[in-house]
Amino acid sequence: MNSTLAIIGGGASSIAFIDAFIEKHQSNSPDLIKITVFEKSKDLGPGNAYQGDAQSNLLNTKAGYITVFKDKPGDFFEWLNLYRYRWQPLYPNLEISEHTYAPRPLFGMYMANAFDRIVKKAFMKNIIVKVIRSEVIQLKERADQLSVTLKTATQKNYEFDSVVIACGTLSKSPFSPPISSKVHHTPYPISTLCNTVEKDDNVAIIGARLSAIDAVVGLIENGHTGKITLYSRSHLFPFVRGTQGRYKNTFLSAKYISERYTSLTLADLAELFNKEINLYHQTHPDESKENIVFPPPPIKDLSEFLSTEMNKANMNRGWQAVLYDTNAILALVWEMLVIEDKELFITSMMSAAMSMRVSIPRENALKIKSYLDNGQLEYIGGETQINTCSDNTLSVTSPEGTSAVDSIIYAVGSPRDIYLSDSELLRHMVDSGLAKPHKFGGIDVCTETYALLSKDEVISPSVYAIGEVTHGCFLFTSALDIIVRHANNCAQTIHSKLIKQVAPLLEA
């Protein structure tokens, strides 16, 4: 029996899914499986997050800890040593160790190689991986739900037994207001941004997370001389990562929580966190214990905040080690959290949590502080309003007044509202009723199987979604280890379905 599977997106989710699917498939199976990957960009493997771009874009995870393969910890670091001849001519001054925060484009090279490796590995198990370089703009399930038809931007139709949507991080739609050649709805690619923003432009960057930092560093390191202002709606900024290694949680673990709770509140989580921090410092008695305040207070002086953070980042930071290990349980915790606390967290605590959870390397903190201290960069907290005038000039209104600007860059991550995203496919799926928006963002899926939920909450037998488009269901889906975990679970679902379909035929 031949089976056909389409994957929409050729980035991390796609690689992790195919690798897991291959691992579950028997090498002596007589069945031919055809996997077709649809990728709209020129590169396979890097996806939106790790595309070839400015070398100033750094990973926020150490080289020794990051991998796209579930059962190969440290695969990236191993690749760096094995393939030094490939990347060193491009990064001649880069010193690599397990503790290096490598440039993201370099990780993109690793991802491209990883894609090549899984294609070869798949072939050995009678799985053919084909690539079509085109954007998928429509999906339609057959009336009997036995197959799905994909339509691409080139107006070609393809039919498959199953489809996995793995299209990665979404950008703000370029057709979202305000519309102007001087308004950039995503900072990526940074290299393109540096070529389109005039060197002496007065630039406003809306957002203050990782993508905003990439934009600031990328612009200035590529010769930007004009003023840049970071606008942080939450009055916050990412914390700086310490020197600590990995830690395995006891209280904030799936086993402990599942055995003791049927539901969770934010108060429960705070209690578990405090227990975990206390246990951490009992087992690490020589480390200083920080006084953690959540939510953190608004930042009034970003340079002073970064100075304090960089001093603390010279040592192990136990609370960060605890937080990073919760990646393994975020989906479980989010599912068990009572609805009123979910709503409270999304509306009032999400930005604060992300500023603490998604930290930055000390190298980037040093750069941002230097730009602040020399006066080229300014930081303003509070709500903003973008103004466009009849003469096509722009200005930004904030609690500190209204300032005329030459260029505006949105660096706010994936839009929670599908209709504000740049994905024609997702908008069409919602309009047709094939998918329904999740109240907390993205589209809704069955959290056990990753199967799509329709407008009428019917579970699709043939369309699945993983990655950033499911963030409403799982809360946080952008960390690579979380992407890999969800991709593996989804591969298990689809492979099990395939086995059930084949078994009766083998018995006959």
Side-chain angles (χ1 to χ4, degrees), residues 434-446:
L434 178 62
K436 81 180 185 76
H438 193 283
K439 68 180 296 182
F440 296 127
I443 55 177
D444 210 353
V445 299
C446 171

Side-chain angles (χ1 to χ4, degrees), residues 246-256 272-273 276-277 279-280 318-329 357:
R246 294 299 169 101
Y247 170 77
K248 198 69 178 172
N249 289 335
T250 298
F251 299 107
L252 285 169
S253 67
K255 183 177 185 296
Y256 188 90
L272 289 169
F273 179 78
E276 198 68 65
I277 287 292
L279 178 60
Y280 176 93
W319 65 270
Q320 290 184 344
V322 168
L323 276 186
Y324 300 152
D325 192 61
T326 61
N327 278 4
I329 62 163
R357 171 172 207 83

